[in-house]
Amino acid sequence: MPGFIQVVYYYFFSSQVRRSVVYGDEPRNRLDLYIPTSTTGLKPVVAFVTGGAWIIGYKGWGALLGRRLAERGIIVACIDYRNFPQGTIGDMVEDVSQGISFVCNNISSYGGDPNRIYLVGQSAGAHIAACALLNQAIRECGEGDTSSWSVSQIKAYFGISGGYNLLNLVDHFHRRGLYRSIFLSIMEGEKSLQKFSPQVMIKESSARSAVPLLPHIILFHGTSDHSIPPAESQAFVDALQQHGAKADLFLYEGKTHTDLFLQDPLRGGRDKMLEEIASVIHSEDLDKSADHMVVPAARRLVPEFMLKLAGRVSPF
């Protein structure tokens, strides 16, 4: 609670946060924007899709990531989407695609650079974002694509602790408490598992021509992740590389499903994954002396014993 209270206060009262910007017609079609304090020049942009087991996802979960990246001169748009039972996986992918479209077409109004947009997803959000990206690439290879954004506008995709082959995860999730009947309802039935498994989709002939359109894909996973095994990210990277895509994997020894996204930022100090994301985003900056290059280490928000206790009781 001590750390969360500080994050919640920042989320509701900071002038850097613009909450619930409307991007579509559905009630959950909202996104939060985290704006850097510096107003000089156009800023690189992250479109972020949070996790939540496809059931409890909420844009506010991205407040800590938004804050940390905004401190590094990056605008962050945390995209909300319909959760189950408000919607099923097709609705979630549609919402996220619409949110990405809004960012691509409107972020310049908020000081963002439309030519430097990056897509980040965490857990279930990594899966949904990957589906949206691959679906868009497949549409662009077909005829009559009328969508309002292009895969070419996304400079890179970062997937944090994601699952990309649902066929391998049904029984695993059932043992972890996300029961098979519920999971299949979320995923629109067993026959749809393949359709919403990016690792499987890229191997199909219909997607072969779409793979070269994909941006650089960078995946992060903890080796002690029991919610979604790190083998998921490894297998997806292997499949991408086999089909000619540029893909890399960073494994973090001993890190759990929530460490990379929650506990490590709350610990303060230097955050390896966050620094890796920021370094990729800023690698094309012409001004290497900009403020983001000398961001001081974040201060600790929660004592270590509390983080360890939370890790023991967390269902993830």
Side-chain angles (χ1 to χ4, degrees), residues 19 37 41 75 81 117 133 165 193 213 242 254 302:
R19 293 181 288 113
T37 54
I75 293 177
Y81 54 89
I117 298 174
L133 189 65
N165 187 346
L193 293 179
L213 300 181
Q242 289 170 8
V302 179

Side-chain angles (χ1 to χ4, degrees), residues 20 37 44 46 89 119 130 161 177 180 182 189 197 203 213 220 292 303 315:
S20 296
T37 54
V46 160
I89 184 61
L119 181 60
S161 308
R180 184 183 183 91
I182 298 174
S197 294
K203 298 177 182 179
L213 300 181
F220 305 100
H292 61 77

Side-chain angles (χ1 to χ4, degrees), residues 90-282:
D91 300 315
M92 300 176 201
V93 173
E94 179 184 343
D95 286 352
V96 166
S97 182
Q98 195 171 352
I100 295 171
S101 174
F102 178 90
V103 172
C104 289
N105 291 288
N106 297 278
I107 202 62
S108 58
S109 300
Y110 300 92
D113 187 344
N115 296 313
R116 287 191 294 166
I117 298 174
Y118 299 80
L119 181 60
V120 181
Q122 184 262 337
S123 190
H127 165 254
I128 297 168
C131 286
L133 189 65
L134 182 56
N135 287 353
Q136 178 60 27
I138 292 172
R139 280 197 295 267
E140 289 179 20
C141 290
E143 295 181 1
D145 175 49
T146 58
S147 59
S148 56
W149 68 283
S150 170
V151 171
S152 63
Q153 294 175 271
I154 307 300
K155 303 289 288 185
Y157 164 76
F158 301 93
I160 305 169
S161 308
Y164 309 98
N165 187 346
L166 302 182
L167 298 170
N168 292 340
L169 291 170
V170 179
D171 292 334
H172 174 78
F173 286 150
H174 183 80
R175 291 190 295 269
R176 295 286 298 174
L178 181 53
Y179 299 122
R180 184 183 183 91
S181 60
I182 298 174
F183 185 68
L184 291 180
S185 295
I186 296 170
M187 297 301 159
E188 301 175 2
E190 195 160 2
K191 292 183 179 180
S192 293
L193 293 179
Q194 183 168 318
K195 175 184 175 183
F196 292 106
S197 294
Q199 181 191 327
V200 178
M201 285 292 294
I202 62 173
K203 298 177 182 179
E204 296 185 354
S205 57
S206 60
R208 294 281 172 82
S209 57
V211 174
L213 300 181
L214 296 175
H216 186 189
I217 293 177
I218 304 170
L219 304 184
F220 305 100
H221 223 118
T223 60
S224 295
D225 188 335
H226 300 297
S227 293
I228 299 180
E232 277 290 303
S233 288
Q234 182 68 68
F236 189 33
V237 162
D238 290 344
L240 286 164
Q241 292 174 343
Q242 289 170 8
H243 289 81
K246 185 179 181 182
D248 293 293
L249 172 64
F250 291 84
L251 292 174
Y252 294 89
E253 191 67 32
K255 297 297 184 181
T256 68
H257 188 66
T258 57
D259 271 329
L260 298 178
F261 179 70
L262 184 59
Q263 284 98 315
D264 283 353
L266 288 172
R267 283 189 173 96
R270 293 296 178 184
D271 186 322
K272 291 183 179 180
M273 186 192 73
L274 190 69
E275 295 296 340
E276 184 63 39
I277 293 174
S279 68
V280 171
I281 293 175
H282 286 306

